[in-house]
Amino acid sequence: MMITLTEENYIKAIYHLGKLGTANVSTNAIAKEMETKASSVTDMVKKLSEKAYVDYKKYQGVSLTEKGKAIAVNIVRKHRLWEVFLVEKLNFLWDEVHDVAEQLEHIKSPKLIDELDAFLNFPTHDPHGDPIPDKDGNFSKLDKVKLSKVAVGETCTCVGVEDSSSAFLKYLDNHKIALGSKIEVIAIEPFDESVTILINASKLNISKHVSNNLFVRTN
Amino acid sequence: MMITLTEENYIKAIYHLGKLGTANVSTNAIAKEMETKASSVTDMVKKLSEKAYVDYKKYQGVSLTEKGKAIAVNIVRKHRLWEVFLVEKLNFLWDEVHDVAEQLEHIKSPKLIDELDAFLNFPTHDPHGDPIPDKDGNFSKLDKVKLSKVAVGETCTCVGVEDSSSAFLKYLDNHKIALGSKIEVIAIEPFDESVTILINASKLNISKHVSNNLFVRTN
DNA sequence: AATAATTTTTAGATAACTCTAAAAATATAT
DNA sequence: ATATATTTTTAGAGTTATCTAAAAATTATT
């Protein structure tokens, strides 16, 4: 029984919703996420249950089985690897990648994704700073942190953004803050929480807003 | 009206069949190519006709309209660019690329394909030696030629294979004949039509079979 | 040209996924 | 605890793409 594109999208939605809370994912929540009707969700959830991708009891919502979770994680892996490819190799901006990655994540070819992984040098995080699971579905332990949380004296690498408005991305571009930029935190002003950083061998003072919307990984 | 994946595949099949002969493409020919039944083809062909992708008169077969042809050529462009990517960047062999490219060719993003084109340095031919149409649908004039057709003294570049059996590909691999290899034809033996070539700065005698299944581009 | 063979189309059904509207179950409020 | 509101499910129907079987048109044969 081949898994369909629609089934994959439902599994992905359930996976993302499941990470938000601890309880089962509700029919309505899935309907909202998938931009469809609750009755359609009920039908699909029954099918996913028959195929053992989810555990489902009437009126009680669903949760992914191990089998379902493995599929979800693999889709996430593919999605994020493609995002890295688009940004690093094809000059996409951080906010342009999502729709295309959404299509590419469904391409079926284990060799393709393993070779892509190697080609990109086994990245651990995507352009938004989210971790990329490895072949076996394991996520990197080191998580991204907002720059505003980094202590004075520490060095870190820019891995993503929270705010992906074009105004914000333009600001980053103007100041040569890019994916992979090395940043050292020199000082934090107590009165406005602005942060002085060393980047590209020059000093720069950035506002609380910026430091709060920039994800970094400390080393 | 969005074009569906199935519609794209029918248009592609009609395009390829249309290149074989001059007449309209028959329902049965499409059915065979698509591995489906003639009745399904009739239904689909009606739909394609309504959407103005094909000209269709009952019992007379179909031909692509300009609109349909533009879509077909764009799919061919995407398919062949992805093939180049897979072989040149992701270590795929010539005979491994087809199924994956068949999936990738349906990804919708003009930016993606233009950037991929640039990333690959605007290749004019795919790993099988077939020409890649440009953005506007124009094919390169210089066509591939069988090595057996190249005259003594001429230099050419290896661009593809006719026979893509693994035995043949292994032979090429063993003799370091690869995509992009420069070949000079030194002599052609009259009695068995074997060809002596200069490749990788050393002489090699190849049989008629090999020279007949190797595509090159003369410069 | 009439008959036979082939191709193509129509008619009616099926499977996957979706919808609306109504019924059933659960959660909330008084 | 009973009534009300919300959520979820069921029932029935539509769409897309497919199929089988039978009818219609075209092509080939004698």
Side-chain angles (χ1 to χ4, degrees), chain A residues 67-82:
Chain A
K67 184 181 167 190
K69 203 176 295 171
I71 285 171
V73 170
N74 190 242
I75 297 172
V76 166
R77 169 171 161 79
K78 290 193 278 184
H79 183 101
R80 294 181 181 168
L81 281 174
W82 281 117

Side-chain angles (χ1 to χ4, degrees), chain A residues 4 10 36-37 39-40 43 47 59:
Chain A
T4 69
Y10 271 94
T36 184
K37 294 297 151 79
S39 55
S40 307
D43 280 356
K47 200 167 63 142
Y59 297 99

Side-chain angles (χ1 to χ4, degrees), chain B residues 127-174:
Chain B
H128 302 99
D130 297 312
I132 300 173
D134 67 17
K135 265 179 94 146
D136 305 315
N138 300 117
F139 286 88
S140 151
K141 282 290 163 300
L142 315 96
D143 217 8
K144 64 180 177 179
V145 166
K146 287 182 179 177
L147 178 56
S148 53
K149 291 275 159 49
V150 177
V152 171
E154 278 207 87
T155 308
C156 55
T157 308
C158 177
V159 296
V161 288
E162 169 97 307
D163 171 1
S164 63
S165 68
S166 66
F168 187 60
L169 295 175
K170 206 158 288 173
Y171 169 91
L172 297 177
D173 217 47
N174 285 341

Side-chain angles (χ1 to χ4, degrees), chain A residues 6-7 10 14 27-28 30-32 34-48 56:
Chain A
T6 315
E7 286 168 354
Y10 271 94
I14 294 166
T27 301
N28 262 4
I30 299 170
K32 200 175 173 189
M34 299 283 300
E35 296 182 324
T36 184
K37 294 297 151 79
S39 55
S40 307
V41 173
T42 301
D43 280 356
M44 179 54 79
V45 146
K46 280 181 189 169
K47 200 167 63 142
L48 293 177
Y56 167 62

